[in-house]
Amino acid sequence: MAEIHIPLQSIKGRGTATHLAHRFASVDRAAFDDGWGTLEGAEPAAPLATQVIFEDARSAITHNDSPDIYFEYGLNPYRGCEHGCIYCYARPTHSYLNLSPGLDFETKIIAKRNLAEVLARELAAKSYVPRMIALGTVTDGYQPIERELRLTRSAIAVAHSCHHPFALVTKGSGVERDLDLLAPMAERKLAAVYITLTTLDGALARTLEPRAAAPHRRLRTIRALAEAGVPVGVSVGPQIPFINDDMEQVLAAAYEAGARTAFYTVLRLPWEVRPLFREWLALHYPQRADRVMARIQEMRGGKDYDADFATRMKGSGLWADLIRQRFHKTCAKLGLNRERVELDIGQFRPGLLSGQGSLF
């Protein structure tokens, strides 16, 4: 693997410092040392601030027909994610915007400012067939800019007003702000929350997921949700061989905090995520980078990634089987996944949407 020359201070608070060219780009530019020492002596660039780009969404609900995903309807208030998780499988979606899946994905966030209005219109349509909506499955609805923009809250308020069930996945502690909506919905079997917790190691989390809540803070969020009566689960994905090897401890801590369901995935490296993750490995774990990639390839039929629906979430082979056994045995020991969370679509009342404008 090539040696990586990125000053650590230049990626503080970000997952990458690389403006990686997206796969549709016709030109790729990179800094070049012409022999005069201009790169070696240059001051590292200041960390980029987050830029919010507003858009008017034409639709709110996305439709999914992938056989390995449990939900049919998804909803994402933002494109791009300030959390900066280096492993994020959504990074390549910025390529469709002519933006880099690298640093642009973390610093140029597209906010769907009319999300609540469009969602209300879609739910009220006569042709709408109600299904559970999964919120934040591509990018996190509780990334830092949600504190100001409140787009996720506005979508939950619409669901609250018409008794529409939804589940959300997040790494952000900001979900606690919306307990005033979530708790009464949960009481009616209309809401569930899943907290992603990849590791208990704070130092690892700071490089792996630089702007997400710290592990101990996510455990506190699980506890707050559980104490408020909200069904809460934990995602311990992605599992990355020789990087976050504390899955059993994570599951135990989440259970102790109040989580009662759990699921996992293994690392996925589609499109531009592959070079970005390889760069991250070479920078932070150079002495084990080859070993990590060898195990990843073992789970992917000898490749960095295989998009086959049957194996893309869990992998295949001996190492994938080992992760699967560890997960299921730990869940059985703790008592996780003994009961499924069933949300009640029968309570949906589209006629109640007429007064939803007062909620946000």
Side-chain angles (χ1 to χ4, degrees):
M1 183 176 291
E3 188 177 357
I4 304 297
H5 298 284
I6 299 176
L8 284 174
Q9 63 267 30
S10 69
I11 60 173
K12 185 176 181 181
R14 297 293 181 186
T16 181
T18 303
H19 282 282
L20 179 75
H22 59 78
R23 60 188 180 279
F24 306 118
S26 58
V27 177
D28 185 8
R29 294 181 175 85
F32 174 72
D33 191 341
D34 58 5
W36 292 93
T38 52
L39 289 182
E40 186 175 328
E43 289 290 325
L48 289 179
T50 300
Q51 177 186 359
V52 178
I53 303 169
F54 290 102
E55 75 168 11
D56 291 318
R58 289 178 292 180
S59 62
I61 300 173
T62 59
H63 298 260
N64 167 66
D65 59 3
S66 300
D68 59 342
I69 295 178
Y70 70 92
F71 58 89
E72 293 183 48
Y73 294 168
L75 188 147
N76 292 278
Y78 304 101
R79 304 167 77 179
C81 186
E82 201 175 357
H83 283 163
C85 306
I86 193 59
Y87 54 73
C88 183
Y89 61 83
R91 283 181 177 271
T93 61
H94 251 42
S95 300
Y96 298 112
L97 305 174
N98 200 31
L99 295 171
S100 168
L103 199 53
D104 285 348
F105 181 79
E106 308 174 32
T107 59
K108 295 182 178 179
I109 310 301
I110 315 300
K112 303 173 184 178
R113 59 185 168 189
N114 63 336
L115 182 72
E117 292 82 357
V118 176
L119 176 62
R121 184 172 67 242
E122 291 179 351
L123 295 182
K126 292 182 179 180
S127 60
Y128 178 71
V129 178
R131 298 282 189 274
M132 189 275 294
I133 295 175
L135 192 153
T137 55
V138 180
T139 57
D140 203 313
Y142 287 99
Q143 56 183 287
I145 59 171
E146 168 63 16
R147 288 194 294 266
E148 176 184 351
L149 300 183
R150 301 166 70 89
L151 297 181
T152 297
R153 180 178 174 85
S154 72
I156 294 173
V158 171
H160 177 277
S161 70
C162 62
H163 304 171
H164 195 296
F166 74 94
L168 65 87
V169 182
T170 184
K171 299 183 183 79
S173 60
V175 66
E176 295 175 37
R177 177 201 64 191
D178 296 335
L179 276 172
D180 61 317
L181 298 175
L182 293 171
M185 292 186 74
E187 188 175 5
R188 299 196 302 263
K189 298 186 182 302
L190 294 175
V193 177
Y194 298 87
I195 302 297
T196 300
L197 186 58
T198 48
T199 181
L200 298 179
D201 184 337
L204 170 59
R206 278 192 296 274
T207 61
L208 197 63
E209 309 154 336
R211 294 202 174 195
H216 72 272
R217 186 65 182 87
R218 288 182 234 180
L219 287 171
R220 204 162 88 201
T221 297
I222 292 174
R223 190 177 302 280
L225 290 163
E227 289 177 350
V230 179
V232 57
V234 61
S235 165
V236 292
Q239 289 296 303
I240 309 171
F242 307 124
I243 299 296
N244 57 334
D245 281 343
D246 58 345
M247 176 170 54
E248 291 84 354
Q249 291 80 12
V250 172
L251 288 169
Y255 181 84
E256 194 277 331
R260 290 298 176 262
T261 56
F263 66 95
Y264 81 97
T265 59
V266 298
L267 179 69
R268 298 163 57 187
L269 297 176
W271 300 107
E272 296 92 341
V273 185
R274 181 189 64 83
L276 287 167
F277 182 76
R278 281 184 170 270
E279 179 184 89
W280 180 89
L281 269 181
L283 179 62
H284 295 284
Y285 296 96
Q287 296 175 345
R288 72 177 86 164
D290 290 341
R291 188 159 59 120
V292 172
M293 290 308 304
R295 295 290 78 76
I296 290 171
Q297 291 168 353
E298 181 183 315
M299 293 191 290
R300 299 299 186 187
K303 299 180 289 186
D304 284 358
Y305 183 57
D306 185 353
D308 180 69
F309 284 136
T311 60
R312 65 174 182 167
M313 295 297 186
K314 300 294 195 292
S316 61
L318 183 62
W319 199 266
D321 286 340
L322 177 60
I323 293 174
R324 186 178 300 111
Q325 289 177 34
R326 289 172 57 199
F327 175 79
H328 287 297
K329 288 182 177 179
T330 305
C331 287
K333 178 181 177 181
L334 294 170
L336 286 161
N337 293 332
R338 288 184 177 172
E339 295 183 10
R340 287 175 56 93
V341 176
E342 298 288 351
L343 301 182
D344 184 8
I345 196 67
Q347 298 182 52
F348 174 54
R349 296 292 183 270
L352 298 175
L353 285 164
S354 59
Q356 51 83 31
S358 63
L359 289 170
F360 43 81

